[in-house]
């Protein structure tokens, strides 16, 4: 069985929000749209987005890590948002594990949003139906697109390639490998939702310079004659012993 | 939408100056989706947050759609306008400009902001005959350009960058978002994935610094000290690349140490060169180790001493440049720097070791044979994999030029210039040091009804190159190339309004501003500058009589215009990213690009280029008319195809598909089908140099001759790195009264002598030298948010949801000590102004620094935002705190708040204090300004919601 | 959580309606065994059912305001296999229909005997309908409560106490209303209803009190650490990616102070439990419709507060992602 998902590499995400607006522009004019924006040109503008990037600070100065954290629907393998939906508008596709909303069925009761521990759903305040990340279903299978582009808009836009896309049930897929190789993890595992999306943690490259790397055979100061030499007048063994 | 008409067109993004390739998908003529063009060398298919929000720029209600004239009787700044026709607008303007041109062309000043078309605007100004032209570089990053170009002949920014494909260690200094936004992100991510080690030196840890392996928090304005200490340590331990220094820099060249001599501090020369030109003649001396005698540099078999002190046969005391550097950094110990920078001495030492050892022990050797200019053949290209990148964190300080020189020298010591894994040039760089372009050096170059005799901007190599009159007074309105800031190679846009208002050095008549928000975020001392724009003299006339603003949106600046010209957006016009300007070249060769309209212009919007060409025709500027006075170019695209720098030169704006059938590149006759060919090729022309021309280009015979053949430069002479800068020494000598060049006016001598040091040195930023740093203990800086471009994205419905207002980020320790709460209201005050704003605690900022996102705050009503807009209620601009001039030390004359060498605006020098706002104060930011009304032609009804769906025809 | 007023109305009105029906049927059952005097079919059972039906209908009406797309409400019956909300939308009309039928049967005196108990007690149609209605009333309580109680990560709700509370609070408000109704109808049952109302209110106090105590001691299972997957004791959010707020900041945050929350808690403790009990006691001796009505009014108002508190108190784990705005 296939479970499509995003794997987000926090090790390279710089918090640029490209995934946020590329998602918005793709989806607002796509199958999921239009996505409304309220007060677009006045106080507290607020609209429907499927993906948001947040920032966290870990630790205290000077040992601070700044973590940029993109979050969209995690396409849980056991999605609590689906069974609660009274209309069947929320569903998980058997063929690829994508969790979707059928906008024609949705009554806008918001129950599914309450049932999602991750806050991954947003009601569209204009159409009054629930919306969320669609994993860009209207791109990833589109035969009109070249193979390379059959990927979510956010994945293609991400300048750091921090967003990987693929089947996490296929052990040989790039996403599965990335999760395995880099200790990928799921959010709030305590609820048993088994999010399909995974995150790759920060990794730190360190370098230790060893003392012997500093005392160098190729030290140019030798050539330039500036390696410190004791003055010839300084005391030496020659002054006190003979053999 | 089953029956929708869809199409895809390629062009180039301009949501910022990075200029990525994009594919624009249209549905029924409306923009449906903008994606990165995977076949574009710059962004390789990715697209940033701004680029992905182009739709909301295109359909923004803040767009200007009609030419406007200030309503008679209304005040400037009130934003009261009447619509006029283009005919009327152009006639008014042409008449006014014709008069100026016929009398005193310098009374017309043309300054342009974040544009990328300086080749055309510059040409227009030059043809007009005014010296008063520049783009935004002076307030942006001229220190970065000048500091490095005067040292290695190239720079970061559009001129070169770190080779992260091959680097092992990457040190990024003072960079938040950078000009090279997407490519840098692509490169950093790849670098990290490949296991490279990334160190960020920055008082703040956000964005790129967030993913650094090590964050080195530094006190703003002190990087010079850090870099000099690193140099100290690297020399002391012998971690420098001696071979590189000897052969490719002026380290071994002998400097005259006889301070009674007029040649003091200059390199000793053997003979007068046969040909004078803009290159370094190879007539300097080394002291050869083998023969213990002076020899001409690069003499076969010779190897110079880098250290020591020698006497020439005529008794002149000489020292190698490197010896002088070593002496210079003697006292710049890590311990000394620790006290200044706030970075522990051990850390500094460790950093130096890491850089040095990585450079020495992880050498790269590529099997690429090349020949150097001295004829020596090399079987391989080698490199030391330590790459640096730096931007405005270094540049935007009044000590930035010397700091950046120190950086370039550190990079040089490590042997990383135009080598794999280090710094790499991008065509047309490297340039000779200094580059050849020069301004005129006398006001006589300005004559009525004639083009300026020389370029408005250039690269002075000595005092005689300055653009001053016989009394040493500035000729340009911004005082660029004067003794106040001799190497102000990008002009000083930030001085223009103040100088014009004051009539110093002279009053002007018409100020034309293109794509800059000089009444707001690109101005220092904002509150006062806004008054100047609206100030009248005793005669009741405006001090700046006529202001023309060309913008695409209703900004804070358009409100001050007498005439507003509505520009098109990037999706509506032709543009070129030209080799004559700032192309988008890659390490592996020159690249230029174009924009091709994908949607028709809105309303009566007209591309500024068309306006300039039209005006040039009406004014009969020689390059734009035939001998009979008729218009030479139909329109801008026609101009781009057919314009040649000189008749028959074969050099034009675009380098690709030249020649009659498009078979030539760089040089060739105009090709009538050039646009088509760009359109067919992703709007970009990329010439890949053969591998042997891709490295060591300062000294690469093949490359230099190639670039000479292709007229990229006139000479194929080596471009030795100026570790020791004779150019600077020439100015210093003049200040010391030596030599027979021009001499600075008395009151500027001391400054020139101090700052024009041929070796890098550290001094406290000017503002810190002058203000009471006990009273104002903190530094305040701004950073670029990745999802917002300067002031211009607040009209963007998507982007303003991400950054609708800004906070001042304060280290919690600091904030708590002032009783300021997280999320509470506070004041931040400099000696020059104060701002009330919201506080946000942050552990990711050095406790002596406070910071905010740049240019989020707006004036109520500007950008067609409603009265409740967060930008004006909770957003603020740090610029209110930043002075354009500092009171002179000890009651001396006022001095500009700029780098004394380049005139770079010292945005990040400002010193501040903070305190809690009283409980009964209004919960909004201060200062507030009177709201602007919507300009005619903008959409007057502001929708309370939008649900954009392309192709429905409802976008506007 | 930031509950919509319609949800508060919906749940409290339904509760009172269910409670009232249960009270009516309890009286009928007692009467069956001659434990209470028989009541007039029309003026008591039928009009009582009508009142209950009115409450239920009002509740149903309120539920529409809560829907973004009320015109599609019919779709919500589809997922009864998995969704308690769906079950509620099935049970509620079914229950209403039974209440209606129960009322109609009483009104028209349609009482065919379905069975006879050994003691000669005749089970007529109204009783059968009432019994079925009772089952559905409890089912409806279960459904309504389970909508909330079934969400494991809303730990304040995820407890059998939630179901118990809904039953007891609905019951107590229904019986209080029945007290007033009985007084108004001059039935003489006030005392009986008041007694039960006091018992149910007291029981509700115990169970609601238990849930308050339980919730006060809850330790969040999700933390910022598990929410973003980084292990460090000190994590602070500096931006949640949108300065103007989002659906998530509107829907999941009530935006009130702790003090406000505590005041509401005390308010409802007084209005739902402390005040009605003495009033009910005062209404017990004789028909005192005014006092009984007052008791109901106060208790119902208190229930509105209680329900708001019930929602507001629940701390959704998604809130971990919204700690600061910048
Ligand atoms: N405090 C502080 N101030 C700073 C800086 C800082 O770091 N801190 N940075 C400085 C730097 S480096 C710079 S470069 C400046 C930038 O400052 P500006 O050059 O003033 O840049 P913008 O704010 O982007 O304003 C440019 C104008 O261009 C308009 N525009 C956008 N697109 C188009 C178009 O297609 N055609 C036309 N005609 N107009 C268009 C916008 O509406 C806007 O009015 O700010 C400087 N100011
Ligand atoms: N998204 C976006 N991209 C942009 C722009 C934009 O407005 N938005 N503007 C464009 C323009 S015009 C420019 S000039 C570039 C500028 O690109 P950057 O130079 O990257 O931009 P700044 O935000 O000025 O970043 C300066 C960095 O230097 C740090 N800093 C300040 N003072 C010091 C110091 O003394 N030492 C050190 N080590 N660091 C210091 C600041 O904390 C900040 O991180 O960005 C360009 N790209
Ligand atoms: S686009 Fe990529 S780098 Fe940018 S915020 Fe999203 S995941 Fe991070
Ligand atoms: S993240 Fe939320 S909305 Fe997405 S599948 Fe999981 S529970 Fe459902
Ligand atoms: S809001 Fe729509 S998708 Fe969500 S539970 Fe209700 S009907 Fe289902
Ligand atoms: S996969 Fe598609 S819908 Fe989901 S966040 Fe990415 S762009 Fe948005
Ligand atoms: S960096 Fe972003 S805004 Fe700038 S040109 Fe590239 S895509 Fe456009
Ligand atoms: Mo800039």
């Amino acid at each position: 069985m296939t479970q499509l998902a995003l794997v987000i590499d926090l090790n390279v995400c710089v918090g640029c929000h490209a995934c946020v607006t590329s998602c918005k522009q793709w989806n607002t004019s796509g199958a999921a749209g239009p996505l409304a924006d309220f007060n677009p040109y006045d106080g507290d503008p607020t609209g429907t987005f499927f993906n948001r990037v947040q920032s966290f600070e870990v630790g205290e100065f000077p040992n601070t890590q700044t973590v940029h954290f993109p979050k969209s629907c995690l396409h849980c393998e056991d999605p609590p948002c689906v069974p609660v939906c009274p209309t069947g508008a929320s569903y998980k596709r058997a063929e690829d594990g994508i969790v979707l909303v059928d906008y024609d069925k949705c009554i806008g009761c918001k129950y599914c949003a309450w049932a999602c521990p991750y806050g991954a759903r947003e009601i569209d305040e204009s159409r009054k139906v629930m919306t969320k990340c669609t994993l860009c279903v209207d791109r990833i299978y589109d035969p009109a697109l070249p193979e390379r582009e059959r990927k979510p808009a956010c994945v293609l836009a991400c300048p750091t390639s921090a967003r990987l896309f693929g089947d996490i049930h296929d052990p040989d897929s790039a996403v599965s490998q990335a999760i395995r190789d880099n200790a990928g993890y799921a959010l709030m595992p305590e609820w048993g939702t088994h999010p399909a999306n995974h995150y790759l943690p920060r990794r730190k490259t360190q370098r230790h310079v060893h003392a012997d790397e500093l005392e160098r055979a190729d030290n140019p100061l030798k050539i330039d004659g500036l390696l410190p030499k004791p003055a010839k007048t300084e005391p030496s063994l020659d002054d006190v012993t003979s053999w | 939408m089953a029956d929708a008409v869809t199409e895809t067109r390629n062009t180039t993004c301009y949501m910022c100056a990075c200029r990525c390739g994009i594919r624009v998908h249209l549905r029924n003529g409306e923009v449906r989706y903008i994606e990165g063009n995977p076949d574009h060398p710059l962004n390789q298919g990715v697209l940033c947050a701004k680029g992905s929000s182009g739709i909301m720029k295109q359909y923004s209600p803040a767009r200007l759609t009609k030419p406007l004239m200030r309503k008679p009787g209304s005040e400037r700044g009130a934003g009261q306008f009447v619509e006029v026709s283009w005919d009327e607008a152009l006639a008014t303007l042409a008449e006014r400009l014709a008069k100026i041109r016929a009398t005193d062309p310098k009374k017309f000043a043309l300054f342009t902001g974040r544009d990328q078309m300086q080749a055309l605007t510059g040409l227009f100004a030059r043809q007009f005959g005014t010296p008063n032209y520049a783009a935004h570089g002076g307030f942006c990053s001229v220190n970065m350009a000048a500091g490095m170009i005067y040292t290695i002949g190239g720079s970061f920014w559009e001129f070169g960058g770190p080779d992260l494909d091959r680097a092992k260690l990457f040190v990024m200094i003072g960079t938040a978002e950078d000009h090279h936004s997407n490519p840098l992100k692509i490169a950093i991510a790849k670098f990290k994935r490949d296991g490279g080690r990334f160190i960020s030196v920055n008082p703040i840890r956000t964005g790129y610094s967030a993913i650094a392996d090590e964050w080195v928090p530094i006190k703003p304005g002190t990087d010079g000290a850090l870099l000099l200490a690193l140099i100290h340590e690297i020399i002391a331990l012998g971690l420098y690349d001696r071979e590189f220094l000897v052969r490719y820099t002026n380290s071994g060249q002998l400097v005259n140490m006889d301070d009674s001599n007029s040649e003091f501090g200059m390199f000793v020369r053997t003979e007068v060169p046969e040909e004078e030109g803009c290159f370094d003649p190879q007539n300097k001396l080394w002291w050869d180790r083998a023969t213990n005698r002076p020899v001409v540099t690069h003499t076969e078999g010779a190897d110079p001493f880098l250290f020591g002190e020698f006497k020439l046969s005529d008794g002149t005391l000489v020292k190698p440049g490197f010896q002088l550097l070593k002496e210079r950094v003697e006292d710049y110990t890590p311990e000394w720097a620790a006290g200044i920078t706030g970075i522990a001495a051990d850390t500094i030492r460790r950093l130096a070791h890491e850089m040095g050892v990585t450079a020495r022990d992880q050498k790269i050797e590529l099997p690429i044979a090349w020949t150097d200019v001295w004829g020596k053949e090399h079987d391989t290209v080698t490199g030391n994999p330590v790459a640096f990148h730096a931007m405005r964190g270094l540049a935007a300080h009044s000590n930035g030029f010397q700091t950046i020189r120190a950086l370039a020298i550190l990079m040089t010591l490590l042997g990383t210039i135009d080598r794999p894994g280090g710094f790499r040039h991008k065509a047309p760089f490297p340039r000779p040091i200094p580059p050849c372009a020069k301004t005129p050096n006398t006001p006589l170059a300005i004559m009525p009804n004639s083009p300026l005799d020389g370029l408005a901007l250039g690269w002075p190599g000595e005092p005689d190159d300055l653009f001053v009159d016989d009394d040493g007074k500035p000729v340009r309105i911004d005082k660029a190339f004067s003794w106040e800031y001799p190497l102000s190679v990008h002009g000083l846009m930030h001085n223009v309004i103040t100088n014009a208002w004051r009539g110093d050095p002279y009053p002007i008549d018409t100020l034309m501003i293109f794509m800059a928000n000089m009444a707001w975020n690109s101005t220092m001392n904002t509150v006062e500058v806004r008054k100047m724009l609206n100030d009248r003299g005793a005669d009741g006339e405006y001090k700046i009589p006529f202001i023309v603003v060309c913008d695409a949106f209703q900004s804070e600046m358009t409100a001050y215009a007498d005439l507003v010209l509505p520009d098109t957006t990037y999706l509506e016009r032709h543009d070129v990213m030209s080799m004559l300007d700032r192309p988008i070249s890659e390490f592996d060769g020159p690249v230029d690009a174009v924009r091709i309209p994908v949607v028709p212009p809105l309303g009566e919007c007209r591309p500024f280029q068309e306006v300039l060409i039209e005006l040039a025709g009406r004014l009969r500027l020689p390059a734009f008319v035939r001998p009979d006075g008729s218009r030479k170019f139909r329109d801008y695209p026609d101009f781009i195809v057919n314009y040649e720098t000189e008749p028959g030169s074969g050099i034009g704006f675009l380098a690709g598909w030249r020649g009659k059938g498009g078979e030539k590149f760089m040089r060739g006759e105009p090709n009538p089908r050039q646009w088509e060919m760009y359109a067919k090729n992703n709007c970009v022309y990329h010439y890949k140099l053969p591998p042997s021309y891709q490295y060591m280009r300062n000294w690469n015979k093949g490359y230099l001759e190639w670039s000479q053949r292709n007229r990229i430069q006139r000479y194929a002479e080596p471009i030795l790195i100026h570790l020791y800068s004779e150019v600077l020494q020439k100015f210093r000598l003049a200040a010391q009264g030596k030599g027979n060049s021009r001499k600075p006016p008395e009151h500027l001598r001391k400054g020139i002598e101090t700052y024009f040091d041929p070796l890098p040195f550290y001094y406290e930023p000017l503002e810190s030298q002058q203000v009471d740093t006990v009273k104002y203990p903190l530094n305040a800086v701004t950073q670029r948010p990745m999802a917002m471009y300067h002031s211009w994205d607040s009209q963007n419905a998507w982007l303003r949801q991400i950054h609708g207002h800004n906070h001042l980020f304060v280290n919690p320790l600091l904030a708590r000590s002032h009783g300021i709460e997280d999320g509470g209201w506070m004041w931040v005050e400099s000696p020059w102004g104060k701002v009330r704003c919201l506080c946000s605690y942050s552990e990711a900022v050095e406790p002596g620094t406070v910071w905010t996102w740049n240019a989020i705050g707006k004036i109520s009503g500007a950008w067609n935002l409603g009265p409740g807009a967060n930008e004006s209620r909770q957003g603020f601009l740090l610029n209110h705190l930043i002075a354009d001039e500092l009171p002179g030390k000890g009651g001396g004359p006022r001095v500009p708040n700029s780098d004394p060498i380049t005139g770079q605006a010292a945005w990040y020098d400002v010193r501040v204090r903070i305190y809690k706002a009283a409980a009964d104060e209004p919960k909004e930011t201060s200062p507030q300004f009177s709201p602007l009304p919507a300009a005619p032609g903008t959409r007057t009804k502001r929708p309370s919601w939008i649900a954009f769906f392309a192709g429905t025809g409802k976008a506007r | 959580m930031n509950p919509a007023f319609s949800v508060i109305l919906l749940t409290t009105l339904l509760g009172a309606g269910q409670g009232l029906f249960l009270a009516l049927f309890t009286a009928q059952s007692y009467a069956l065994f001659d434990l209470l005097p028989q009541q007039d079919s029309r003026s008591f059972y039928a009009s009582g059912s009508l009142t209950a039906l009115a409450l239920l209908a009002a509740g149903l009406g309120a539920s529409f305001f809560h829907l973004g797309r009320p015109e599609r409400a019919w779709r919500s019956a589809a997922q009864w296999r998995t969704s308690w909300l769906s079950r509620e939308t099935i049970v509620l009309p079914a229950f209403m229909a039974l209440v209606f039928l129960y009322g109609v049967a009483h009104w028209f005196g349609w009482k065919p005997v379905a069975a006879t108990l050994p003691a000669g007690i005749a089970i007529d149609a109204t009783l059968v309908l009432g019994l079925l209605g009772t089952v559905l009333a409890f089912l409806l309580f279960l459904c309504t409560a389970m909508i909330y109680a079934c969400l494991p990560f809303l730990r304040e709700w995820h407890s059998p106490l939630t179901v118990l509370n809904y039953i007891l609070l609905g019951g107590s408000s229904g019986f209080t209303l029945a007290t007033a109704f009985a007084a108004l109808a001059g039935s003489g049952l006030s005392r009986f209803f008041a007694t039960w109302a006091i018992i149910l209110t007291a029981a509700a106090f115990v169970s609601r009190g238990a849930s308050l105590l339980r919730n006060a001691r809850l330790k969040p299972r999700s933390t910022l650490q598990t929410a973003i997957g980084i292990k460090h004791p000190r994590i602070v959010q500096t931006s949640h990616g949108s300065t103007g707020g989002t659906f998530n900041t509107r829907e999941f945050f009530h935006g009130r102070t702790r003090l406000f929350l505590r005041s509401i808690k005390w308010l409802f403790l007084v209005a739902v439990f402390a005040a009605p009990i003495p009033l009910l006691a005062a209404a017990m001796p004789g028909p005192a419709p005014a006092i009984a009505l007052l008791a109901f009014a106060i208790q119902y108002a208190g229930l509105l507060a209680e329900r708001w508190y019930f929602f507001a108190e629940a701390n959704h784990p998604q809130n971990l992602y919204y700690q600061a705005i910048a």
Side-chain angles (χ1 to χ4, degrees), chain B residues 721-774:
Chain B
I721 291 173
H722 285 203
L723 204 88
Y724 180 89
S725 173
E726 257 191 357
V727 175
L728 296 179
Q729 178 65 11
K730 286 181 191 165
F731 284 88
R732 175 178 261 187
L733 284 174
Q736 291 167 340
K738 292 190 178 129
N740 43 18
S741 75
R742 286 166 160 175
K743 302 287 178 299
E746 199 44 49
H747 69 284
L748 295 171
R749 278 187 185 221
K750 185 90 196 48
I752 300 268
E753 189 180 354
T754 311
Y755 298 115
F756 279 74
D757 193 314
L759 289 163
F761 72 111
Y762 173 74
Y763 57 97
E764 242 192 313
L766 300 186
E767 177 154 339
S768 299
Q769 291 182 26
Q770 291 206 18
V771 310
D772 179 349
T773 51
V774 177

Side-chain angles (χ1 to χ4, degrees), chain C residues 24-48:
Chain C
L24 295 176
F25 186 67
T26 312
Q28 192 183 0
S29 311
Y30 271 60
L32 187 66
F33 298 100
D34 286 334
L35 300 172
L36 279 179
Q38 285 290 350
Q39 297 298 324
D40 179 59
S41 263
R42 284 202 178 185
S43 66
F44 187 79
Y45 292 114
S47 46

Side-chain angles (χ1 to χ4, degrees), chain A residues 57 84 111 114-115 185 190-191, chain C residues 83 147 153 222 228 236 316:
Chain A
E57 289 176 2
V84 300
Y111 189 25
W114 290 25
Y185 62 88
E190 58 272 23
W191 302 119
Chain C
S83 169
I147 289 176
F153 41 84
S222 288
I228 66 171
V236 175
H316 200 286

Side-chain angles (χ1 to χ4, degrees), chain B residues 140 176-178 202 221 223 392 397 783-785 788 790 908:
Chain B
C140 180
E177 165 66 354
D178 202 67
N202 198 313
D223 302 75
R392 296 187 62 258
H397 290 285
Q783 296 199 96
R784 307 269 183 281
M788 196 46 90
H790 295 289
Y908 296 164

